[in-house]
Amino acid sequence: MGEIEVNYGSILPTESLKVIAESVGIGNLSDDAAKEISDSATYRLKLVLQESKKFMMHSNRCKLLPSDIDNALKVLGIEPIYGFHAKEHVPFRYASGGGRELHFIDDKDIDLIEFVNAPLAKLPLEISIRCHWLAIDGVQPTVPENPPSVSKDVQKLECVDPLNKLKKPIDKEVSGRPSTGKAQKLRNVETVHVKQLATHELSVEQQLYYKEITEACVGSDESRRAEALQSLASDPGLHEMLPRMCTFIAEGVKVNVVQNNLALLIYLMRMVKALLDNPALYLEKYLHEIIPSVVTCVVSKQLCMRPEIDNHWALRDFASRLMAQICKMFNTPTNNVQTRITRVFTNATNSDKTALPSVYGALEGLAELGTETIKVFVIPRVHMISDRLDSPEVTQNNVDRISGNQIKHLLCKILTPVLKITHSPPDNLDEYKKEFGSVGVQLHAAVCKARITTTTQSTSNQTVTQTNTQSRTVIGRPVATTTSNTGNPQKYVLMSQRPAVAQTPPNKTVYISQQNIKSEFQDPSN
């Protein structure tokens, strides 16, 4: 019992405090001063342990951790200096010299080239507060911050079973017998239930929103158009007006293709892109309106008033990417969207009567569907397309000649990565001519250039690796420890020189301006 009482009232020994004082240069510490310091340190230590125990108990643990003591020091307003946290074991290294002994953590060599070549990090956004309505008069507004009023699963269920929306619980009192009370007289009379019609009326606010959105998307104000497209891509409350949006796009494409208005066709395809990017919308019910509009912008014969000047090729490329996105999102074994779209594009490339701009769009559409589609449906038809491009009818017509050059450039772009893999080196020019016709000359040059670029890059990487392992230069900031003749430890970063970066031609990017765009609609089968 006495030993327990002694342990309970124990304090830090004065002898230990005198030793600590001597280690920091304070000698001849009096007994009274050591006793006062001992009492104060004991009190502070017990206070920290009590707070640490509180953190341990609130964490439902029976073991005191260094983090508990750190939290206790923070609560008491003291800088936490006890313990450290590390996911891995941190080994300490020992060094001595100059009459001192030192234990330190061995820092790793840092490759500064990685930091120099790495892209700059984006500046963090400033902290701000943004408020939105959770409910207005008990009704949840349809804003991106709130969950959608109709989930995607419910939209899918309505797509599979449209009558599910009309199913309502029937009142047994009303359906079982008439309300007049003449049960005996009308017992054998059959009761007819009239199915209610589904209403798709829009509120005044929704009608105003629809009007503003459609006007902004096809208007001349670019900033307003960007805001409208952002709303279409993020607003979760577009479920009820989605049928009207799809009808607006389909009818707009029909009218503007006939009128050769390329600008409005581009704006309508941007609307399709925004609707596809909206995660709250289920578009499978409206593919019968969206797909023909997109395919029209891919393989239509004429999309602008001046085909030899206006950049309608960019619209075909953009619509092809949209078509590939639709196939990726909605293709199922039931609807076979990708198979049917592939058949449409393939028929366009097989026919000799198809206009060359339509052939360009069909080739771009097949290329966006993947490498296997290129191998099966594009490569076997390159020779036939090449012979058509060399015909006198094409070479004598200015518009067809420009279209032929675009097709040749497209074939080189989409076939070069595939041929580099399927055709083993060395590349024979005569074999390329025999297999692909006159386009084989350009394909041969493009494949050889791609192989040289790949070889140069691999050689450059090997050179950089050898330089890193053999030739090193001192950059200057102390990191790795070495011992000099005087015994003082020194640290240096050992780094290689900056590797030479292979200059590759930048990717060609086509920009569509508002002034040089106009367009047209035509059935893809024509």
Side-chain angles (χ1 to χ4, degrees):
M1 187 66 181
E3 183 179 356
I4 296 176
E5 292 178 355
V6 171
N7 292 334
Y8 177 79
S10 61
I11 62 175
L12 293 176
T14 57
E15 292 79 5
S16 299
L17 292 176
K18 290 182 178 180
V19 173
I20 296 173
E22 292 176 357
S23 64
V24 295
I26 301 176
N28 300 324
L29 186 65
S30 63
D31 295 337
D32 294 338
K35 186 177 184 305
E36 292 296 332
I37 296 176
S38 176
D39 293 340
S40 177
T42 302
Y43 168 75
R44 301 293 179 184
L45 182 59
K46 287 183 179 181
L47 187 61
V48 171
L49 290 177
Q50 287 177 1
E51 294 293 334
S52 304
K53 187 177 179 181
K54 292 180 182 179
F55 282 98
M56 179 190 72
M57 295 177 63
H58 284 290
S59 300
N60 295 326
R61 285 186 278 101
C62 298
K63 182 180 180 181
L64 190 67
L65 300 179
S67 59
D68 297 330
I69 299 179
D70 289 342
N71 293 329
L73 293 174
K74 291 179 181 179
V75 169
L76 296 175
I78 307 172
E79 182 181 357
I81 58 175
Y82 182 85
F84 60 91
H85 303 277
K87 296 181 180 180
E88 301 177 355
H89 174 65
V90 181
F92 286 89
R93 295 187 61 182
Y94 171 78
S96 62
R100 298 187 62 183
E101 296 180 353
L102 177 66
H103 293 271
F104 64 94
I105 300 174
D106 189 11
D107 296 335
K108 297 181 180 179
D109 293 343
I110 301 176
D111 189 357
L112 297 182
I113 295 180
E114 297 180 0
F115 292 92
V116 173
N117 296 332
L120 296 177
K122 295 183 179 180
L123 294 176
L125 299 177
E126 295 183 359
I127 300 176
S128 60
I129 298 176
R130 181 183 179 185
C131 59
H132 66 90
W133 289 102
L134 293 177
I136 301 176
D137 294 334
V139 180
Q140 173 185 290
T142 53
V143 294
E145 290 78 8
N146 291 334
S149 56
V150 181
S151 64
K152 212 168 184 179
D153 296 334
V154 176
Q155 297 181 38
K156 185 176 181 180
L157 182 61
E158 292 180 3
C159 175
V160 178
D161 185 12
L163 298 178
N164 181 71
K165 186 177 182 180
L166 304 176
K167 293 179 181 178
K168 294 182 178 180
I170 302 174
D171 190 359
K172 294 182 180 180
E173 296 293 334
V174 177
S175 61
R177 53 181 180 271
S179 58
T180 59
K182 300 179 180 180
Q184 298 296 330
K185 183 178 180 180
L186 302 177
R187 180 178 299 174
N188 296 328
V189 177
E190 295 182 357
T191 304
V192 179
H193 299 283
V194 180
K195 183 177 68 174
Q196 298 180 359
L197 296 177
T199 59
H200 298 281
E201 297 179 356
L202 299 181
S203 63
V204 178
E205 293 81 4
Q206 289 175 330
Q207 295 177 21
L208 181 61
Y209 176 86
Y210 173 79
K211 178 176 178 295
E212 294 292 334
I213 283 292
T214 52
E215 290 180 356
C217 288
V218 297
S220 58
D221 191 349
E222 185 64 30
S223 60
R224 191 178 174 207
R225 182 183 304 108
E227 294 177 359
L229 294 176
Q230 178 63 27
S231 178
L232 289 179
S234 59
D235 198 332
L238 300 178
H239 169 63
E240 295 183 358
M241 62 186 72
L242 185 58
R244 289 169 175 80
M245 290 287 183
C246 296
T247 304
F248 174 80
I249 294 173
E251 295 298 326
V253 170
K254 291 179 182 178
V255 172
N256 289 284
V257 167
V258 173
Q259 296 179 356
N260 297 332
N261 194 337
L262 182 60
L264 292 181
L265 287 176
I266 294 175
Y267 299 155
L268 293 171
M269 290 299 102
R270 289 181 182 175
M271 291 182 66
V272 175
K273 174 65 175 176
L275 293 177
L276 290 174
D277 293 341
N278 194 327
L281 298 180
Y282 187 74
L283 296 176
E284 189 166 353
K285 290 194 294 184
Y286 312 104
L287 293 181
H288 65 283
E289 292 183 329
I290 295 177
I291 290 180
S293 303
V294 177
V295 173
T296 296
C297 294
V298 176
V299 297
S300 182
K301 179 180 179 181
Q302 185 174 350
L303 293 173
C304 55
M305 296 294 295
R306 300 172 299 176
E308 69 280 1
I309 299 177
D310 295 338
N311 190 7
H312 61 95
W313 315 105
L315 174 59
R316 299 181 190 274
D317 297 341
F318 181 61
S320 300
R321 291 192 294 270
L322 286 181
M323 197 67 252
Q325 183 179 356
I326 292 174
C327 293
K328 182 179 179 180
M329 294 175 61
F330 301 106
N331 182 59
T332 62
T334 304
N335 55 31
N336 292 324
V337 171
Q338 184 167 343
T339 303
R340 295 157 70 180
I341 295 300
T342 304
R343 185 181 298 113
V344 171
F345 291 157
T346 305
N347 293 336
T349 58
N350 289 339
S351 177
D352 293 337
K353 298 181 180 180
T354 305
L356 292 182
S358 301
V359 175
Y360 175 91
L363 292 174
E364 180 67 23
L366 291 173
E368 292 292 339
L369 294 178
T371 304
E372 294 300 325
T373 306
I374 296 175
K375 293 179 181 179
V376 177
F377 297 102
V378 177
I379 292 180
R381 293 168 176 79
V382 174
H383 197 289
M384 181 188 68
I385 297 174
S386 176
D387 293 340
R388 182 182 176 185
L389 297 180
D390 296 336
S391 62
E393 294 81 2
V394 175
T395 56
Q396 295 175 2
N397 190 339
N398 186 29
V399 177
D400 290 343
R401 184 170 64 254
I402 295 175
S403 301
N405 294 333
Q406 291 288 342
I407 292 176
K408 291 179 180 179
H409 177 73
L410 176 64
L411 289 175
C412 291
K413 183 181 71 173
I414 66 177
L415 295 182
T416 299
V418 180
L419 295 178
K420 188 176 67 173
I421 299 175
T422 57
H423 288 59
S424 58
D427 299 302
N428 192 343
L429 179 58
D430 295 334
E431 294 179 358
Y432 275 78
K433 289 182 179 180
K434 182 178 180 181
E435 184 177 0
F436 304 112
S438 61
V439 184
V441 179
Q442 299 179 5
L443 289 175
H444 177 267
V447 173
C448 293
K449 183 178 179 180
R451 295 190 192 278
I452 294 174
T453 303
T454 305
T455 305
T456 304
Q457 291 178 352
S458 61
T459 305
S460 176
N461 293 335
Q462 293 178 0
T463 305
V464 171
T465 304
Q466 294 177 359
T467 304
N468 289 337
T469 56
Q470 297 177 3
S471 175
R472 295 179 178 267
T473 28
V474 176
I475 301 298
R477 186 178 67 83
V479 172
T481 301
T482 58
T483 304
S484 62
N485 296 331
T486 59
N488 295 326
Q490 297 178 353
K491 299 181 181 179
Y492 299 97
V493 176
L494 300 181
M495 288 304 306
S496 64
Q497 297 178 351
R498 182 190 297 270
V501 180
Q503 299 294 333
T504 57
N507 296 329
K508 182 180 179 182
T509 305
V510 181
Y511 295 93
I512 305 174
S513 62
Q514 188 174 347
Q515 290 78 14
N516 65 343
I517 40 184
K518 306 228 174 220
S519 94
E520 180 218 325
F521 176 90
Q522 185 172 346
D523 194 297
S525 61
N526 294 334

